[in-house]
Amino acid sequence: MADISCMKRYSLLLLAALCISPAVSQDDLQRYLPQDQLHWLSGNDDQRYLVLKKEYLQAFERGQIVLIPDWHYHPLQSFYIRPVYENAPDFGWTTWALTPPENDIRTDNLQTPASATHFPEAADEEVFEPLVGALQQRMTLLLDETLSRPGFSVWVVEGITADITLRLLESDPSIMPDAIVLINAYVPQFQYNRALADRISQSQLPVLDIRSAESNQWIIKHWQLRKKLASKYQHPAYRQRQLINSGNAGQRELISTIKGWLEFHGF
């Protein structure tokens, strides 16, 4: 309980910092985060990326859980990424929480015309290429840290980040984890959100597809379709779960759901 209270205090400090200055740098964030959990990823181009890390708290290490929140969020800002990061070490997992790259994904720049219509024309796929590339750069550096560690590799990704992550795995299967958990996965555009349903259902990974009680219209739109497509393509390890509870009870339900699913698959 003390660790959770401490993390909540740091989360409030972080949120305050971001509200005061939207351009807070990664170096500035160090002052608002627990020092024993800070970890820097450094590339050949002098770029560095801040990652949060919590070591496993059991007799043996089950593996590595990599968490990436929805676009525009820090891991401690995400209502559903944060509790997984904080609690998974209690079950034997080392957690790594990564901030996704900046982007300007919106409905109006993913379709033509920009205004909402029932059947708009989707923008060119090239709009996603720099986003996939930016995420690949960060993930490659992070995997250099995690691949040498024992146990399984599980990714937990949220929102629009889920679609970008699945695109990355399609383009670079060499970095494939052992399983993936999607939380409120969506794309804010009709055709691309529909394509996400295909992407999820045809994934080669065990997939836990979670929808929270507060999910948005894009998630609701193709929620049933994902399950039907998984059956159509005979996905061997697709499970869909809608959280019944919201708020703190929803967070606890999420943690219990992920823990049970991982244990069911032997992770």
Side-chain angles (χ1 to χ4, degrees):
M1 292 299 293
D3 287 342
I4 294 176
S5 298
C6 182
M7 286 300 297
K8 286 182 178 178
R9 183 168 65 253
Y10 281 118
S11 300
L12 292 173
L13 288 171
L14 173 64
L15 290 172
L18 293 175
C19 289
I20 292 171
S21 175
V24 171
S25 71
Q26 294 186 99
D27 294 276
D28 291 331
L29 286 175
Q30 288 187 96
R31 295 179 296 172
Y32 302 96
L33 297 171
Q35 294 298 309
D36 63 333
Q37 296 176 37
L38 294 177
H39 189 83
W40 285 98
L41 303 175
S42 300
N44 296 327
D45 55 0
D46 295 327
Q47 289 285 341
R48 8 182 248 163
Y49 306 109
L50 184 61
V51 178
L52 292 180
K53 175 187 176 184
K54 286 194 75 174
E55 287 280 349
Y56 67 101
L57 297 173
Q58 289 291 318
F60 66 94
E61 187 173 20
R62 289 185 176 275
Q64 317 299 306
I65 291 183
V66 175
L67 302 113
I68 317 176
D70 200 357
W71 246 242
H72 306 299
Y73 284 91
H74 184 277
L76 296 185
Q77 289 177 299
S78 169
F79 189 76
Y80 287 111
I81 290 294
R82 188 184 72 239
V84 181
Y85 168 74
E86 293 171 351
N87 289 276
D90 294 339
F91 313 132
W93 294 89
T94 293
T95 52
W96 305 74
L98 178 67
T99 302
E102 294 294 328
N103 84 95
D104 61 350
I105 288 183
R106 305 181 308 275
T107 302
D108 61 356
N109 63 14
L110 288 179
Q111 63 187 33
T112 305
S115 59
T117 63
H118 286 297
F119 300 103
E121 180 180 348
D124 194 281
E125 285 275 347
E126 291 180 358
V127 70
F128 294 100
E129 291 180 3
L131 307 178
V132 173
L135 182 60
Q136 183 177 31
Q137 185 176 25
R138 299 185 183 209
M139 289 302 297
T140 300
L141 292 174
L142 180 56
L143 292 177
D144 286 342
E145 304 275 345
T146 62
L147 285 178
S148 62
R149 297 180 64 111
F152 299 99
S153 172
V154 178
W155 294 4
V156 180
V157 290
E158 179 186 39
I160 300 171
T161 305
D163 180 74
I164 305 302
T165 301
L166 291 172
R167 289 172 180 271
L168 170 59
L169 292 175
E170 288 175 0
S171 65
D172 188 2
S174 67
I175 64 174
M176 197 82 69
D178 295 302
I180 192 166
V181 177
L182 312 177
I183 302 176
N184 288 333
Y186 76 99
V187 183
Q189 199 280 334
F190 179 81
Q191 283 95 336
Y192 284 129
N193 199 48
R194 168 63 177 78
L196 174 60
D198 281 296
R199 186 165 282 113
I200 293 172
S201 62
Q202 296 184 63
S203 171
Q204 301 303 305
L205 291 168
V207 177
L208 175 59
D209 191 5
I210 297 176
R211 167 188 163 189
S212 74
E214 308 91 348
S215 55
N216 63 40
Q217 61 170 331
W218 296 108
I219 300 164
I220 296 170
K221 183 71 176 179
H222 292 118
W223 180 248
Q224 293 299 325
L225 179 62
R226 295 180 192 176
K227 189 172 184 179
K228 292 177 181 178
L229 288 175
S231 177
K232 173 183 177 180
Y233 296 120
Q234 301 181 49
H235 194 298
Y238 174 83
R239 182 183 177 189
Q240 195 176 75
R241 177 67 183 271
Q242 180 176 352
L243 302 182
I244 299 173
N245 299 293
S246 59
N248 292 337
Q251 291 179 324
R252 291 191 294 270
E253 185 182 1
L254 172 73
I255 295 166
S256 175
T257 298
I258 293 176
K259 179 176 181 289
W261 182 76
L262 291 173
E263 290 176 349
F264 174 79
H265 283 283
F267 296 133

